[in-house]
Amino acid sequence: MRTLAVVLSFFCLQAQLFAAEPLVIGLSYPSTGSYKWEGLSQKRGALMAVEEINREGGILGRPLKLVSRNSGATPEQAVQNVERLAAVGAVMLMGGASSDEVIAAGERARKFRLPYFVPTAYANRVTGRAGHNYLFREGASARMANNLLMEYLETTLPGKRYFIITSDAVIPNGRSSDLDVASRSRDRSTRHHYREALKQAAQSNAEVLILMLYGTDVVNAMRQVDRLGLKKRMLVVVANLNQDMVDQAGPALMSGVVGTDTWTWRVPEREDNARGKRFVADYIERNQSYPSSAAASAYGIVRQWADAVSRAGTAESSAVIAALNGHSYRLLKDEQKWRALDHQNLQSMYVVRVKPRAEVLKDELKQDYFDILDWMEGEVAAPTEKEVLWERSPEGPE
């Protein structure tokens, strides 16, 4: 009888929950264009979190509803998405992969007084010059990645010559100190730009090639790297690397490439995080693939927003923002924190290297891409308060 009572109670709770008006979460994400793989991972992660929360009883007695729209990674479409999602009653907005897209969407969200959460967009200006009270970034910034890379490269490859290709500039004969300057580049590269730059790299005496490119630009650049045989004589570094990029390019093209990321599916094992291990297992069961950092980021955003709503006792934006500011938590890895200063999420970052193709193919899902070589705490990797204030000042970078 007790078991029957528990079952009946559960179904009564579910009936009450889904009779209530849902809280709408708006997802503006690229399902087409250069970032569509990262976009698909974002949608999978967000949807998984929404369905979990609803099974747990929703938030404040109300279910969550995910409404998504394709942004194509363009600012114009992202702004339209914000307007349409706000019109259908969204109380929180998230998504995007290009920096220009999320900045434009975040600015429009501010006009509606809605928090906007960024899973993956690397430009420093997202939480720097373009940052504001309604914009949060869960993923790492370019500067966070470069601070980790500078330390790793200076320790393991001291005195080497770098050839750095950014989305709008080339730095031949560079040093690790040039990475910070290069991190201010905008993510607007063209195939012609990096094709010519890679020809210059082939003619240089550099020992390390650093690609500060994103999305399918990385894939196309790596095809050119392969044609020129550059991996045979220099270490190739993709500053912001992730599973979605390797999925597109394939492990043969990417083997040996070094980069940084905030997550791999093996991180919960490394951190002995039971919740993270369960997330990986559930994600595999749903999607027959490992979760990428984009998926983990989107999942974490939904769970953290929902937690803030519960703690605030309301989904009203100012109360939720206040609940997030300075909040530390442990979800899928070690401790993370929403820094009140700039709403940058502070979390551990990892130097990773893509395994040889033969080793990857031994894995059941053929996606066990990365060896973790090094790591850095988020508090150390992130720009300092002084640096953030300078970036936001009139004298700061454009």
Side-chain angles (χ1 to χ4, degrees):
M1 289 296 293
R2 183 176 180 181
T3 301
L4 178 60
V6 170
V7 171
L8 289 173
S9 176
F10 171 79
F11 282 112
C12 286
L13 177 63
Q14 292 295 304
Q16 292 172 10
L17 173 66
F18 291 101
E21 186 72 18
L23 290 168
V24 176
I25 292 176
L27 173 66
S28 174
Y29 77 109
S31 62
T32 58
S34 296
Y35 300 93
K36 64 183 179 182
W37 289 62
E38 288 87 347
L40 173 61
S41 290
Q42 288 177 24
K43 185 169 184 178
R44 286 176 169 177
L47 185 61
M48 185 171 164
V50 166
E51 291 180 358
E52 281 184 4
I53 291 168
N54 285 342
R55 286 198 301 270
E56 294 162 5
I59 302 296
L60 306 181
R62 298 171 65 180
L64 298 185
K65 179 181 179 181
L66 184 70
V67 179
S68 59
R69 291 187 174 276
N70 176 30
S71 68
T74 66
E76 297 79 13
Q77 188 59 50
V79 167
Q80 289 183 28
N81 288 349
V82 168
E83 293 170 349
R84 290 170 180 168
L85 291 166
V88 298
V91 293
M92 182 271 263
L93 302 169
M94 61 181 290
S98 84
S99 300
D100 289 339
E101 157 191 21
V102 301
I103 287 171
E107 187 59 38
R108 191 61 180 148
R110 175 163 63 163
K111 296 184 185 303
F112 289 103
R113 299 185 181 276
L114 292 173
Y116 195 99
F117 293 84
V118 179
T120 51
Y122 301 110
N124 297 320
R125 66 188 189 281
V126 172
T127 46
R129 179 172 288 270
H132 53 78
N133 195 44
Y134 290 86
L135 188 61
F136 291 78
R137 173 162 52 188
E138 201 279 346
S141 68
R143 177 164 290 173
M144 292 172 70
N146 295 339
N147 285 344
L148 172 55
L149 272 178
M150 283 191 286
E151 180 180 281
Y152 175 76
L153 293 172
E154 286 174 352
T155 301
T156 60
L157 298 169
K160 300 296 183 181
R161 292 181 294 273
Y162 300 164
F163 194 103
I164 305 172
I165 300 176
T166 77
S167 57
D168 56 12
V170 173
I171 303 176
N173 300 315
R175 293 289 184 267
S176 62
S177 57
D178 291 312
L179 286 172
D180 187 54
V181 176
S183 74
R184 297 173 194 153
S185 170
R186 293 173 180 257
D187 50 352
R188 296 176 177 172
S189 60
T190 66
R191 186 174 300 186
H192 174 76
H193 161 70
Y194 56 72
R195 181 182 293 151
E196 293 304 312
L198 286 168
K199 290 179 181 177
Q200 295 177 40
Q203 297 167 4
S204 75
N205 60 356
E207 297 147 294
V208 181
L209 171 65
I210 299 179
L211 302 176
M212 304 189 77
L213 304 172
Y214 314 100
T216 55
D217 284 339
V218 171
V219 179
N220 293 327
M222 286 303 300
R223 289 172 180 154
Q224 183 75 359
V225 165
D226 185 62
R227 282 193 289 269
L228 294 170
L230 297 183
K231 283 201 297 181
K232 296 176 181 178
R233 63 182 184 85
M234 58 178 66
L235 173 67
V236 178
V237 176
V238 175
N240 298 99
L241 185 61
N242 60 53
Q243 177 183 306
D244 295 310
M245 291 179 188
V246 187
D247 277 336
Q248 294 174 73
L253 207 61
M254 299 295 288
S255 65
V257 171
V258 170
T260 70
D261 203 357
T262 56
W263 163 273
T264 80
W265 72 276
R266 290 198 178 275
V267 164
E269 294 178 0
R270 174 189 173 97
E271 303 297 338
D272 193 24
N273 185 309
R275 179 76 173 274
K277 293 176 186 177
R278 189 168 70 249
F279 165 72
V280 171
D282 291 347
Y283 191 94
I284 292 171
E285 184 177 357
R286 290 171 61 100
N287 302 294
Q288 292 74 55
S289 66
Y290 295 124
S292 68
S293 53
S297 178
Y299 175 90
I301 285 169
V302 175
R303 298 289 329 200
Q304 274 299 293
W305 172 82
D307 179 70
V309 170
S310 294
R311 288 185 286 111
T314 176
E316 195 274 323
S317 294
S318 61
V320 172
I321 291 170
L324 286 168
N325 282 340
H327 178 64
S328 297
Y329 63 98
R330 181 180 170 92
L331 186 63
L332 301 180
K333 48 192 283 190
D334 55 355
E335 185 173 279
Q336 297 178 235
K337 179 180 180 179
W338 293 105
R339 186 162 67 175
L341 170 68
D342 54 357
H343 291 174
Q344 174 63 56
N345 191 285
L346 304 183
Q347 59 176 302
S348 297
M349 296 194 63
Y350 306 91
V351 177
V352 296
R353 179 177 59 209
V354 181
K355 296 177 179 180
R357 178 176 180 272
E359 189 173 343
V360 172
L361 293 180
K362 294 176 184 177
D363 176 67
E364 183 179 0
L365 296 180
K366 311 292 189 291
Q367 282 186 311
D368 187 17
Y369 296 136
F370 297 125
D371 285 317
I372 296 177
L373 305 179
D374 200 2
W375 75 288
M376 179 179 282
E377 294 176 342
E379 294 274 4
V380 178
T384 64
E385 179 178 354
K386 182 178 180 180
E387 288 171 331
V388 172
L389 294 176
W390 174 75
E391 286 179 359
R392 292 182 172 184
S393 72
E395 296 77 28
E398 292 296 328

